[in-house]
Amino acid sequence: MQELFPYLLNGVSVGGQYALIAIGYTLVYGILRLINFAHGDVFMVAGLVMVYSTTSMPIYLAIPLVLIATVALGFTIERVAYKPLRTAPRMSVMISAIGVSYLIQNLAFYITGGVPQPVSNPIPWISDNVVLFGASTKRVTLITPFLTIFLVIALVYLINNTKIGMAMRAAAKDFETAQLMGIKINSVISMTFVIGSFLAAVGSMLYFTNYPSVAITSGGMPGLKAFVAAVFGGIGSIPGAVVGAFIIGLCEEIIKGLGYTTFSDAFTFALLIVVLCVKPTGLFGEKVTDKV
């Protein structure tokens, strides 16, 4: 158990980072029934902005810049790539999402030259090493789960107790009826992308503090695992996405701790297959009957 303890710490931390990305997937799917395949690349862009901003300005300016730039990117993607296709077939929107993903990766390749960018000036304090019960780890590992839970509680409060949250719940329940009731659907969808991008930016800063190198493909696997977490927990369910992310993060690190690092990624997807075979809607998903 003493040998596994550092891996358990890392599992909780990685799970929290996956959760912040997974919420973006589940929010967008809940309203648009769309898988935003570019979300992992938004996460990657946040990491690149962090690399460049922390080397050229004070940290108290760099962090807000990362958040603002990532939110602006998410908002722009929705307005340019998804809004014009609001009434288009769902397949067209999905292809647009894939196209945006590759466009972002190619722009990042042009800027970086395809060379992984080191995080030479990590965020102070959270990047310091600490010792807990004999295990050495970075302080970000301990902070991540608590920050994740705080942000999730804040998000749940926003959804349940504000006008924009009520509009989001109405749109998720019945998109067409919400429009007929006077809800400004475009504003609701834009806010959904803003929230998802903000959380992805926070997750990116935490993630690249632990793994201090950003490549153009760095959003691929974390984004895919976050998507798996959202499906695993029941896509469309915020608690499901969070629980699924923590379970996947823990299982992934425990597999590594047992010496089977090669199979850690495979186990994640195998676990998803098993769960969906038993409960196709995920752990917290509800069965939805489509109207004919």
Side-chain angles (χ1 to χ4, degrees), residues 190-256:
S190 294
M191 179 57 69
T192 302
F193 275 81
V194 164
I195 293 172
S197 300
F198 175 85
L199 294 175
V202 175
S204 179
M205 287 188 284
L206 297 172
Y207 183 87
F208 290 114
T209 299
N210 253 340
Y211 305 95
S213 178
V214 187
I216 62 171
T217 56
S218 291
M221 189 54 73
L224 187 56
K225 288 181 179 177
F227 171 63
V228 169
V231 176
F232 179 77
I235 193 160
S237 167
I238 293 175
V242 174
V243 172
F246 277 112
I247 291 175
I248 286 175
L250 280 167
C251 290
E252 178 183 318
E253 291 299 320
I254 289 172
I255 292 293
K256 291 179 181 178

Side-chain angles (χ1 to χ4, degrees), residues 33-268:
R33 296 297 184 265
L34 162 70
I35 303 301
N36 180 19
F37 288 105
H39 195 57
D41 298 292
V42 171
F43 167 86
M44 177 269 295
V45 169
L48 286 179
V49 175
M50 182 177 103
V51 168
Y52 292 122
S53 61
T54 52
T55 56
S56 59
M57 62 181 65
I59 196 69
Y60 60 84
L61 294 177
I63 292 177
L65 178 61
V66 173
L67 297 174
I68 292 170
T70 309
V71 165
L73 177 62
F75 178 83
T76 303
I77 289 172
E78 191 279 321
R79 286 301 170 114
V80 173
Y82 300 148
K83 183 181 177 182
L85 299 175
R86 199 81 82 216
T87 57
R90 199 167 296 173
M91 182 64 70
S92 300
V93 186
M94 185 182 73
I95 293 171
S96 177
I98 296 172
V100 170
S101 173
Y102 280 101
L103 174 62
I104 293 174
Q105 286 188 33
N106 276 269
L107 288 174
F109 183 89
Y110 176 77
I111 293 171
T112 64
V115 179
Q117 301 298 303
V119 184
S120 54
N121 291 318
I123 300 174
W125 191 70
I126 69 170
S127 59
D128 296 339
N129 285 322
V130 295
V131 177
L132 182 67
F133 300 118
S136 178
T137 186
K138 289 185 178 179
R139 190 175 276 116
V140 66
T141 304
L142 307 179
I143 291 173
T144 297
F146 295 102
L147 180 58
T148 301
I149 292 170
F150 170 77
L151 290 173
V152 170
I153 291 172
L155 176 60
V156 170
Y157 178 85
L158 182 145
I159 290 174
N160 291 330
N161 297 280
T162 64
K163 287 185 178 180
I164 187 66
M166 186 182 298
M168 290 169 69
R169 285 187 285 124
K173 192 72 175 177
D174 194 319
F175 193 88
E176 289 77 13
T177 303
Q179 285 182 299
L180 294 174
M181 295 299 291
I183 292 175
K184 297 179 180 179
I185 288 296
N186 288 330
S187 298
V188 171
I189 294 171
S190 294
M191 179 57 69
T192 302
F193 275 81
V194 164
I195 293 172
S197 300
F198 175 85
L199 294 175
V202 175
S204 179
M205 287 188 284
L206 297 172
Y207 183 87
F208 290 114
T209 299
N210 253 340
Y211 305 95
S213 178
V214 187
I216 62 171
T217 56
S218 291
M221 189 54 73
L224 187 56
K225 288 181 179 177
F227 171 63
V228 169
V231 176
F232 179 77
I235 193 160
S237 167
I238 293 175
V242 174
V243 172
F246 277 112
I247 291 175
I248 286 175
L250 280 167
C251 290
E252 178 183 318
E253 291 299 320
I254 289 172
I255 292 293
K256 291 179 181 178
L258 294 174
Y260 299 102
T261 304
T262 306
F263 302 102
S264 62
D265 292 341
F267 178 82
T268 299

